[in-house]
């Protein structure tokens, strides 16, 4: 037992200590979270480099050993989560200026729960962390600004999806327990039907938390609908979904060699999510709703990569299996960092302009906080897969993996691979639209008449650090992939080598190779090439003579430029997509008279109000479900239980809490 | 005094008595006088949002702001809705005028043309001039429609003076008008082809239009017919030999036009692009007082050459072209049919050219004071001039041009269209800012 | 069965229509009768009738101002003819005024000579009757085919080298045309096309009008006529490129 065995429980505990101290001062919670996150990162690096760490152990309620431990697989997720928590916690110290400590409290609880589930040595403790995470996040969403009913309804939707998620995860864990007689996270030999049951339950349970289709309501609604605080949004969107991904990875790593349909199902769900997320991101005007939809797209991409890996494993395509796994890991890492930066920049926009409406924000070109802008530009660029950033590398790897779906032997799988490839490519294009819109209308363009609000100091520094990280993850990809080899190895229960090689003049180890070899990319060469090109351009520019820069106003067909109300907004930017894809988006125009018809109206122009609405097809389903449930409940209430609904709700909440507390005490 | 035949032609939903475009010249004068005295004849028309427009089209805005919007139909607002300004300088509409497009992107919710950028104050500045000097300015009011404008203006002064003109003079005016109609209609076909990127068709139609311009130049001494009917204008060449040569050239141009159009008809991309684009209904054209091909493309058989005929149209066979679709294709088709009918009219005129007659106007002093109204069918539709004459000089001049009348129809047709429909729609109406900014 | 000709066949059968100008002098039908200016057939001071006939004051007893002439032809019966050597565009406003009724020396400075063989043109209407606009646009028809000479129309002044301005400048168009001039990248040139742009034409003196385009933006080339024929406009554009050859009228 070395020093790290002691650091691991300290890391997890510091979040909860911080949560308690938040009553004294909310900054304690964020400070303690910062410490916990840093310790977590430290332990994770040590685990990946040297090997697993076990810290603390006790006898659990079912006579099984429980405790905290970290193997290279959980270390990867702890590294990613801890890394972005360092950023969000530092940011929160400046961001959270509320009188109430509740946001800080729930923030620390959520982080601690995620840390707990990432370091749980058994599935039972994992479940405890999972449920605590849901409750903590529920608490965070309740701190959102906005009308109380709206906030509560959004938080309640989140809770409903969260509890459904727990239910399915519980089923998966129960299935494992039935077959193996243990909660331990070790490979289990399952019968084929039972393995299928566990896989499907796990996919639904973790998919609910990752917000993939058709459960994407759970992701965007709490963030976009209720305008959750920015630090909460960042945690919800990047690390909560990361926890879902961890659960899925962990579950699959203990299951036997999958039948081919597992991968096929995953691939399909992933591709649909990616396309749906990208599509709705491109038509979103909400400075947080747009990144939230982008999260759906990115988690879809993780599923796509994992799906390709599973099919490849079923087909014994070992090279593709390993490459797709690396792609999935890289996608998870790239998304966690970039999405955190994006939400923190959204918080910055909110602070600067007091609005979430991109159509109103219209950019902050005159803002003096240049360093904050760097983060707000680099993060969306990475999500739009612009070279040489992190998202570019992961997107390239995923597409390379999909290109190799021709290697699958069942024609149906080839077909699925082909369709998924088309969907992912289309999603990449739509995300580009979304991110260009985000960059332009949150940052680069001219502001409208929105009054600038207070700008908390320190936020810009965090964003610059994140931007640097995003660039580093992109440029140094070959080395990071090699660093992550133990984690992939721990997932696959195989010794693996990173898909890294050399090419022509590029030194050995500087390039990523898909297949054997299929495609090749050298992330470090991209900035070098760009730099050389820029240098040549500068030299040429320097050699020129008689350069006179003359500034004129924009050409607006002869009209005076800059007239309020005569410029494109972010809504107009993406209306093309709304109109072209109206059959998918269910676009409809709602026209209403602004006022009653008057006598004067017959001689003067008639005033109309026009709204162009889009509709998520799945929301129709959920709305119907809610109507059905509401109607049924009403009938039940009147017919069977003529009591007060509030009491029943309170009862349910208390019961859940009691169960959680019981398990925690029993542990 | 209402022409009963007119009344019966208008369907009941069009409120016949209120639609000035279809009134006889006498009725026009009556209403005009009423309006000028501050009467509210039109405003009582009601239930018709067109009333304010009609009033402005005939009398001008009450206190004449320099820039004004024509055809304001709606005030659209909503989330993401903004104004897309187009003009006053653009190559798509090579004229000084602006369009305010209300949109949430991509789709036109409302379009309101803004005029007045090129107001040259022509009609107010001709007061006190001799008829010839006034005509010199009026023919430069709208160059492509110069024959129609000068003919209407001169006819109004002649009507004011109660003076007739020689048959030959009337025939020369008609000949010039028909040539210019052919030029304008072919030009519209060329512009629509340009919008549809039909480059071969565009080049051929452009070449044909240039042929017509050169024919007008060689016949009347001016490519745009400026000065062609005025005493002391450029010499016209309409002697017997010239007429034979002219008939020969017209026959060749007519054949080439037929070939060109039959080739256009084989281009599905061209026809599909303009079909259903910027459609207006028969009810709308009637209610808003549309004129010309815009009106006839919705199935209303109205043409001043038939409804208020003057010589030589009284003696010539003129097939009336109508279509029923009301869209850009319908308007283009009407123009194509009218090119044919104009070629036919020209053929008849050259065959039956009046043997003699003076081409000289009597001196200005001979004209008695009075007031007259005249209307002619310009290439884009009904054109009305109201002129008073005192002491052999021009007094007050008012006009209602085809462009004035057709603005609201363009705005109506563009509603709910997409941006890319704009040029097809615009060119198919044949509206000129120059005709409104007079 | 009706034979439907294809586009290719149609284009082939019409043949080459394009003018030989500027490599050869323009033919008479290309310079329409009123496209060239009035030339006195006798010494000016003997034509005492002509100044009174001229509605725009272009003819005086000692000079003929081609820039003011609207080609109304009233002077044709008073010792003038629309024939003979006629200049079709000038770099200086003063060169359009023919002292004694005869043209002076042609000045030619070609402000855009550095641009080589290609030039982009942007058309601006500041108050025309549309005839000048159509004559400028006619340059792209097969008869004049300006593209063979490297002359292209653009959709934005930002991409243009030369502004072709038509019409008499109204007060409303002063700001817009200045913006267009500002938007042109340097080196740039402005061509005033038609009597209206040069000096107001028949509308000179109307209220609310600027008398001449020169009062609004600097002008590098003047093309007289009402409207000028396309070959004259072609000559003006070529002259701004320093590629002036024979003017359409010969000389």
């Amino acid at each position: 037992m070395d020093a790290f065995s002691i650091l691991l429980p300290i890391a997890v505990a510091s979040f909860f200590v911080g949560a308690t101290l938040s009553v004294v001062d909310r900054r304690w919670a964020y400070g303690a979270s910062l410490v916990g996150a840093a310790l977590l990162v430290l332990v994770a690096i040590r685990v990946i480099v040297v090997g697993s760490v076990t810290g603390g152990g006790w006898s659990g309620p079912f006579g099984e050993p429980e405790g905290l431990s970290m193997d290279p697989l959980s270390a990867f997720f702890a590294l990613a989560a801890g890394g972005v928590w360092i950023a969000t916690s530092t940011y929160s110290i400046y961001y959270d200026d509320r009188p109430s400590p509740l946001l800080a409290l729930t923030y620390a609880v959520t982080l601690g729960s995620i840390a707990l589930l990432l370091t749980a040595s058994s599935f039972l403790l994992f479940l405890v962390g999972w449920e605590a995470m849901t409750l903590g996040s529920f608490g965070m969403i309740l701190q959102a600004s906005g009308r109380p009913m709206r906030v509560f309804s959004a938080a309640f939707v989140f809770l409903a999806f969260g509890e459904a998620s727990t239910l399915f995860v519980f089923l998966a864990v129960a299935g494992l327990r039935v077959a193996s007689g243990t909660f331990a996270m070790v490979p289990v030999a399952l019968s084929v039907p039972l393995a299928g049951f566990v896989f499907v339950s796990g996919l639904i349970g973790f998919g609910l938390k990752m917000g993939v289709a058709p459960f994407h309501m759970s992701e965007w609604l709490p963030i976009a609908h209720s305008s959750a605080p920015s630090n909460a949004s960042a945690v919800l969107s990047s690390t909560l979904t990361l926890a879902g991904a961890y659960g899925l990875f962990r579950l699959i790593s203990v299951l036997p060699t999958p039948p081919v349909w597992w991968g096929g199902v995953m691939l399909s769900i992933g591709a649909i999510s990616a396309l749906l997320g990208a599509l709705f991101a491109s038509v979103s005007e909400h400075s947080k709703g747009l990144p939230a939809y982008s999260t759906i797209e990115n988690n879809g991409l993780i599923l796509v990569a994992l799906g390709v890996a599973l099919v490849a494993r079923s087909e014994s395509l070992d090279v593709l299996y390993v490459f797709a796994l690396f792609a999935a890991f890289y996608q998870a890492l790239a998304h966690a960092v970039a999405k955190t930066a994006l939400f923190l920049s959204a918080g910055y926009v909110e602070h600067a302009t007091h609005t979430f409406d991109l159509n109103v924000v219209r950019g902050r070109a005159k803002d003096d906080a240049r360093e904050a802008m760097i983060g707000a530009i680099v993060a969306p660029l990475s999500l739009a897969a612009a070279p040489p950033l992190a998202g570019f590398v992961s997107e390239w790897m995923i597409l390379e993996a999909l290109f190799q779906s021709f290697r699958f032997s069942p024609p149906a799988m080839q077909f699925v691979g082909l369709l998924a490839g088309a969907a992912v490519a289309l999603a990449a294009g739509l995300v580009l639209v979304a991110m260009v819109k985000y960059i332009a209308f949150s940052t680069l363009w001219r502001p409208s008449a929105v009054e600038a609000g207070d700008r908390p100091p320190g936020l810009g520094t965090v964003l610059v650090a994140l931007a640097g990280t995003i660039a580093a993850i992109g440029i140094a990809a070959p080395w990071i992939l090699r660093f992550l080899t133990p984690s992939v190895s721990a997932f696959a229960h195989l010794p693996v080598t990173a898909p890294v090689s050399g090419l022509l003049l590029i030194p050995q180890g500087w390039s990523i190779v898909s297949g054997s070899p299929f495609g090749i990319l050298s992330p470090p060469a991209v900035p070098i090439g760009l730099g050389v090109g820029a240098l040549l351009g500068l030299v040429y520019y320097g050699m020129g003579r008689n350069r006179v820069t003359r500034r004129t106003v924009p050409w607006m067909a002869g009209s005076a430029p800059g007239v309020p109300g005569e410029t494109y907004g972010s809504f107009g930017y993406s209306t093309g997509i709304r109109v072209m894809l109206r059959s998918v988006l269910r676009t409809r125009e709602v026209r209403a008279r602004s006022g009653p018809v008057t006598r004067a109206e017959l001689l003067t122009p008639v005033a109309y109000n026009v709204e162009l609405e889009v509709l998520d097809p799945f929301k129709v389903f959920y709305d119907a479900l809610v109507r059905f449930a509401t109607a049924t409940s009403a009938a039940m209430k009147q017919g069977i239980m003529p009591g007060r609904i509030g009491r029943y709700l309170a009862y349910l909440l208390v019961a859940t809490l009691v169960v959680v507390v019981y398990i925690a005490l029993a542990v | 005094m209402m022409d009963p035949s007119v009344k019966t032609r208008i369907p009941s939903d069009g409120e016949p008595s209120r639609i000035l475009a279809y009134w006889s010249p006498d009725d026009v004068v009556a209403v005009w006088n009423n309006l000028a005295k501050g009467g509210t004849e039109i405003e009582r028309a009601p239930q018709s949002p067109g009333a304010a427009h009609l009033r402005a089209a005939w009398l001008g805005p009450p206190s004449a702001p320099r820039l004004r919007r024509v055809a304001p139909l709606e005030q659209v607002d909503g989330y993401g809705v903004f104004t897309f300004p187009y003009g006053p300088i653009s190559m798509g509409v090579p004229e000084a005028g602006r369009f305010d497009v209300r949109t949430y992107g991509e789709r036109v919710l409302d379009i309101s043309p803004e005029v007045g950028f090129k107001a040259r104050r022509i009609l107010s500045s001709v007061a006190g001039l001799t008829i010839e000097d006034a005509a010199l300015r009026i023919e430069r009011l709208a160059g492509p429609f110069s024959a129609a404008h000068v003919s209407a203006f001169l006819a109004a002064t002649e009507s004011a003076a109660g003076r007739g003109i020689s048959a030959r003079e009337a025939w020369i005016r008609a000949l010039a008008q028909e040539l210019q109609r052919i030029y304008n209609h072919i030009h519209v076909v060329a512009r629509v082809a340009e919008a549809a990127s039909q480059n071969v068709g565009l080049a051929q139609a452009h070449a044909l239009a240039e042929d017509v311009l050169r024919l007008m130049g060689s016949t009347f001494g001016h490519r745009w017919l400026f000065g062609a009917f005025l005493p002391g204008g450029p010499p016209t060449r309409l002697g017997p030999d010239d007429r034979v040569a002219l008939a020969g050239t017209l026959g060749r141009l007519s054949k080439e036009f037929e070939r060109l159009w039959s080739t256009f008809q084989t281009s599905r991309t061209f026809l599909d692009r303009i079909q259903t684009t910027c459609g207006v209904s028969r009810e709308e054209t009637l209610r808003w007082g549309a004129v010309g091909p815009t009106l006839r493309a919705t199935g209303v058989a109205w043409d001043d050459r038939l409804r208020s005929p003057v010589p030589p149209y009284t003696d010539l066979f003129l097939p009336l072209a109508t279509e029923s679709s009301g869209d850009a294709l319908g308007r283009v088709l009407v123009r194509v049919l009218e090119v044919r009918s104009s070629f036919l009219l020209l053929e008849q005129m050259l065959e039956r050219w009046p043997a003699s007659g003076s081409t000289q106007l009597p001196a200005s002093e001979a004209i008695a004071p009075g007031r007259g109204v005249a209307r002619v069918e310009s290439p884009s539709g009904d054109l009305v001039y109201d002129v008073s004459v005192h002491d052999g000089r021009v007094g007050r001049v008012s006009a209602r041009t085809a462009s004035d009348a057709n603005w609201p129809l363009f705005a109506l047709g563009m509603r709910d269209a997409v941006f890319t429909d704009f040029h097809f729609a615009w060119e198919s109406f044949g509206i000129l800012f120059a005709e409104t900014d007079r | 069965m009706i034979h439907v000709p294809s586009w290719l066949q149609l284009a082939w059968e019409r043949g080459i229509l394009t003018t030989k100008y500027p490599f050869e002098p323009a033919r008479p039908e290309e310079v329409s009768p009123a496209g060239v200016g009035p030339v006195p057939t006798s010494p000016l001071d003997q034509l005492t009738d002509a100044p009174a006939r001229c509605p725009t004051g272009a003819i005086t007893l000692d000079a003929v101002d081609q820039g003011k002439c609207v080609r109304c032809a009233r002077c044709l019966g008073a010792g003038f003819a629309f024939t003979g050597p006629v200049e079709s565009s000038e770099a200086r406003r003063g060169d359009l005024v023919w002292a004694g009724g005869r043209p002076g020396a042609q000045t030619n400075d070609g402000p855009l000579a550095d641009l080589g063989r290609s030039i982009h043109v942007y058309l601006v209407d500041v108050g025309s009757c549309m005839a000048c606009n159509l004559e400028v646009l006619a340059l792209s028809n097969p008869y004049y085919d300006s593209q063979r000479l490297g002359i292209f129309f653009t959709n934005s002044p930002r991409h243009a080298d030369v502004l072709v301005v038509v019409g008499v400048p109204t007060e409303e168009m002063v700001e817009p045309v200045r913006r267009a001039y500002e938007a042109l990248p340097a080196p740039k040139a402005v061509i005033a096309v038609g009597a209206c742009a040069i000096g107001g034409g028949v509308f000179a003196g109307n209220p609310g009008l600027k008398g001449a385009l020169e009062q609004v933006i600097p002008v590098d080339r003047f093309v007289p006529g009402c409207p000028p024929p396309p070959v004259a406009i072609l000559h003006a554009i070529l002259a701004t490129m320093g590629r002036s050859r024979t003017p359409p009228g010969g000389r």
Side-chain angles (χ1 to χ4, degrees), chain A residues 98-125:
Chain A
R98 296 154 186 253
S100 153
L102 277 175
L103 178 60
L105 175 82
T106 50
Y107 173 86
V109 166
T110 309
L111 262 56
S113 317
I114 297 174
L116 182 66
L117 75 88
L118 287 179
T119 55
S121 66
S122 78
F123 277 118
L124 187 62
L125 200 55

Side-chain angles (χ1 to χ4, degrees), chain B residues 221-232:
Chain B
H222 196 286
R223 283 157 65 89
W224 302 90
L225 306 175
F226 292 170
F229 324 140
L230 300 180

Side-chain angles (χ1 to χ4, degrees), chain A residues 349 352-355 357 359-363 447-453:
Chain A
V349 172
T353 60
H354 299 301
T355 176
D357 191 340
N359 221 25
V360 177
V361 174
R362 290 172 173 272
S448 64
V450 175
E451 289 217 2

